[in-house]
Amino acid sequence: MTNPHDPYGQQQPSGQFQQPYGLQPYQPQQQYYVQQPYVRPPDQGMAVASLVCSLIGLIMCFPAILGIVFGHIALSKAKRGEAGGQGMAQAGMIIGYVVTGLWLIPVILWFVFVVFAIGAAGVS
């Protein structure tokens, strides 16, 4: 026997109920979760370089000057929001200035001594 609601003429086994056309069986809705993009923490490379160079400047003079330069670059990036480590950049700059000043004191004293030595040698 054919079902008058079945357009294809397929027979249903007895005991099964066929859904009317307008109704669909319950299908749970799929939920889609939008994953938030991973926000990379700001780079602190310049700030770290500033602090490290300034501390190495205690042994040698030249890295302290690099620490000052890196500190200014890192501080400007941190203020613009492009990088982190504002405090580390400030610390690197301050230490760099102090270390450079401490290295300049003996250089200035040596220069004054040489000028006086040349002046004293020329008087004779």
Side-chain angles (χ1 to χ4, degrees):
M1 192 177 279
T2 62
N3 187 348
H5 298 290
D6 189 9
Y8 300 109
Q10 297 175 352
Q11 291 198 0
Q12 295 289 332
S14 62
Q16 286 191 349
F17 177 76
Q18 182 179 4
Q19 293 287 330
Y21 286 114
L23 297 176
Q24 295 293 326
Y26 174 74
Q27 294 177 354
Q29 296 291 328
Q30 292 183 356
Q31 294 182 355
Y32 297 100
Y33 295 100
V34 178
Q35 184 178 5
Q36 295 294 328
Y38 175 70
V39 178
R40 204 171 122 230
D43 290 331
Q44 299 179 5
M46 283 286 200
V48 171
S50 170
L51 189 60
V52 168
C53 286
S54 295
L55 291 174
I56 291 175
L58 291 169
I59 300 169
M60 301 176 279
C61 179
F62 184 69
I65 297 169
L66 288 175
I68 294 170
V69 172
F70 290 153
H72 279 287
I73 294 171
L75 189 61
S76 65
K77 281 186 174 186
K79 285 185 178 179
R80 288 190 307 249
E82 296 175 6
Q86 183 174 0
M88 208 177 323
Q90 287 176 340
M93 282 179 15
I94 292 170
I95 293 171
Y97 278 123
V98 169
V99 168
T100 302
L102 290 175
W103 275 100
L104 283 177
I105 291 172
V107 170
I108 292 171
L109 290 176
W110 179 81
F111 183 73
V112 169
F113 174 75
V114 169
V115 168
F116 280 132
I118 291 173
V123 172
S124 310

